[in-house]
Amino acid sequence: SPHGACPDCTGLGTRLEIDPELVIPNHRLTLAEGAIRPWSKTTSRLTWYSRVLEAVAKVYGFSVHVPVRDLPKKAVEVVLYGTGDQKIAYEDESGYGRTGPFEGVMPNLMRRYKETDSDYMRSEIEQYMRIKKCPTCKGMRLKPEYLAVTIADKSIVAVANLSIDDAVALFDVIQ
């Protein structure tokens, strides 16, 4: 029943998640050279991404002209996951000054994936995703309330996965 399904994976037990190793596959490249693979493919927005990355680098004290492998760990984390509430001043596509938090590559891709109606855009972003076990239900596909149901100290999922012989033995014991 969909009523018992895990809300995060909708009962699939897995989720598509952006993988940082697919986003930055070549750590020898610099950010300026296009180390961020999904952003290097979008030429129309490349200058905007470049301006924002330059602004982030300036605030966090690193260079976009240094190979990713040589950047401080904090710099890579900020590029991938954003600045949180810290605002960054940059110029938008029109050259106007803007100030706001930098959302980060990973949240940017995930947001665009969820918001788009374009199958093409979804398939483009899926190149940077992997199927991972749902962290909420740990692949068991049910809401936490349903996973709390036990039979003879076994979760409902463990009971459902028993072989017929083992299930018969379990229910013979608890009768």
Side-chain angles (χ1 to χ4, degrees):
S1 164
H3 300 291
C6 172
D8 289 341
C9 66
T10 61
L12 295 175
T14 59
R15 293 186 341 182
L16 274 174
E17 292 184 10
I18 307 292
D19 185 334
E21 291 303 316
L22 297 174
V23 170
I24 304 178
N26 185 350
H27 291 248
R28 291 185 305 261
L29 291 176
T30 68
L31 296 173
E33 292 172 328
I36 300 171
R37 185 80 178 123
W39 285 4
S40 69
K41 294 173 77 174
T42 56
T43 55
S44 64
R45 298 203 56 183
L46 186 56
T47 55
W48 180 81
Y49 288 133
S50 297
R51 283 194 299 264
V52 172
L53 285 174
E54 284 279 357
V56 170
K58 185 176 179 183
V59 169
Y60 281 86
F62 66 91
S63 172
V64 296
H65 300 287
V66 171
V68 172
R69 69 177 176 213
D70 297 332
L71 288 174
K73 184 179 179 181
K74 176 67 176 168
V76 176
E77 285 178 10
V78 165
V79 168
L80 288 174
Y81 300 102
T83 60
D85 292 333
Q86 183 173 359
K87 294 180 179 178
I88 305 294
Y90 62 94
E91 288 184 2
D92 66 11
E93 295 91 342
S94 306
Y96 291 106
R98 301 278 185 219
T99 302
F102 171 64
E103 82 179 313
V105 178
M106 308 274 282
N108 171 271
L109 290 171
M110 202 64 202
R111 177 183 54 75
R112 289 172 39 213
Y113 183 77
K114 289 177 180 176
E115 290 176 356
T116 189
D117 292 329
S118 165
D119 289 337
Y120 171 78
M121 184 57 68
R122 242 188 224 105
S123 69
E124 281 295 306
I125 295 172
E126 283 173 357
Q127 295 177 52
Y128 309 103
M129 302 175 99
R130 293 195 196 268
I131 297 173
K132 297 196 177 178
K133 188 183 289 187
C134 175
T136 303
C137 69
K138 296 176 182 41
M140 292 187 270
R141 305 170 52 184
L142 298 173
K143 287 181 179 176
E145 302 86 33
Y146 290 77
L147 291 171
V149 173
T150 60
I151 300 171
D153 294 326
K154 293 187 182 294
S155 75
I156 193 167
V157 172
V159 172
N161 288 332
L162 290 173
S163 68
I164 292 173
D165 290 337
D166 291 341
V168 167
L170 174 71
F171 286 106
D172 280 344
V173 170
I174 61 174
Q175 277 186 2

